[in-house]
Amino acid sequence: MLIFPSWRKSAEKAKSYLASAEAITLLEAWISLGTSERPPRREDLRPERFPALLPDLWLMDFDAETGQLRYRLEGEHIRARYDRSLIGRSLEDTVAAEALPRVRGYFQACVEAPAISMVIGRLYHEWQQPGYGERLLLPLMHGDGHAEGIIGITVYRETFADRTLAEQRAKRITCIVPLDGSEPTEEAS
């Protein structure tokens, strides 16, 4: 069984990056649902603990054999950003080809390291009208300490008229905070 004795300290480091009340609330709920050895399992989730967050939440299943992540649940605000439901779809089905290596990197880090992954600032950069906000990805763990999925929230604060304006006005910081207590990594673009 894998254990992560420093996972709560890592979560506190991650909290220092977040600005939105929604992402902080989800992080705090996630912390409270775990044990001393590991973050929570999917079955530990209690949506009634954070009903105001549900429109911006999403869940993904992780298949360790294939490395595949598939959406299991999407909140109404997440669903409204796409022209179709994400449920049952993989990252490859939903992310623009030009963004896939970058996006896959921080999603995979969440389940494989495991780590808390965050994107702060410019979101949906490859879209005609990117936005500004925060995305938080939190691993959900089997009782044996291996990842079984992700709970995430995407808080969208502003929409830019086009990609050029988004690039001028907003940076994007991708931060990975490993649950083993090692130092976070940051990448700005």
Side-chain angles (χ1 to χ4, degrees):
M1 179 170 95
L2 296 175
I3 61 169
F4 302 93
S6 299
W7 78 272
R8 282 194 166 104
K9 288 180 185 173
S10 296
E12 289 302 320
K13 284 181 190 176
K15 188 175 177 180
S16 69
Y17 287 89
L18 299 172
S20 72
E22 297 90 342
I24 291 168
T25 299
L26 177 61
L27 180 64
E28 289 173 346
W30 178 78
I31 292 169
S32 73
L33 295 170
T35 69
S36 60
E37 292 87 27
R38 61 158 177 74
R41 302 166 297 174
R42 184 177 30 252
E43 64 195 51
D44 296 329
L45 296 179
R46 301 287 181 258
E48 63 272 11
R49 293 187 71 182
F50 37 84
L53 304 181
L54 294 177
D56 296 309
L57 286 181
W58 42 271
L59 281 173
M60 295 183 96
D61 289 329
F62 175 62
D63 183 338
E65 287 183 29
T66 64
Q68 193 72 236
L69 285 159
R70 291 202 176 277
Y71 285 95
R72 176 186 176 114
L73 175 135
E74 63 188 354
E76 62 193 61
H77 294 163
I78 303 301
R79 170 64 184 93
R81 291 187 193 111
Y82 292 84
D83 60 356
R84 64 189 188 280
S85 174
L86 300 179
I87 296 173
R89 298 184 185 278
S90 68
L91 285 178
E92 291 76 12
D93 296 334
T94 58
V95 176
E98 68 184 272
L100 191 56
R102 178 180 45 78
V103 173
R104 186 185 292 127
Y106 66 82
F107 272 76
Q108 290 297 132
C110 183
V111 291
E112 291 176 356
I116 298 168
S117 297
M118 297 168 282
V119 178
I120 299 155
R122 198 171 60 245
L123 301 173
Y124 302 107
H125 176 74
E126 292 71 23
W127 290 18
Q128 292 277 348
Q129 295 181 308
Y132 181 84
E134 290 182 322
R135 179 173 295 131
L136 171 66
L137 291 75
L138 302 166
L140 298 171
M141 312 299 274
H142 285 292
D144 66 5
H146 290 91
E148 64 178 332
I150 296 173
I151 184 168
I153 189 166
T154 304
V155 181
Y156 204 73
R157 296 288 185 219
E158 182 179 349
T159 301
F160 295 105
D162 57 48
R163 288 170 66 171
T164 302
L165 186 60
E167 289 172 359
Q168 291 170 350
R169 293 203 178 157
K171 276 175 51 173
R172 175 180 50 230
I173 298 171
T174 303
C175 183
I176 309 295
V177 183
L179 296 186
D180 66 5
S182 56
E183 288 302 308
T185 59
E186 292 180 32
E187 180 183 318
S189 57

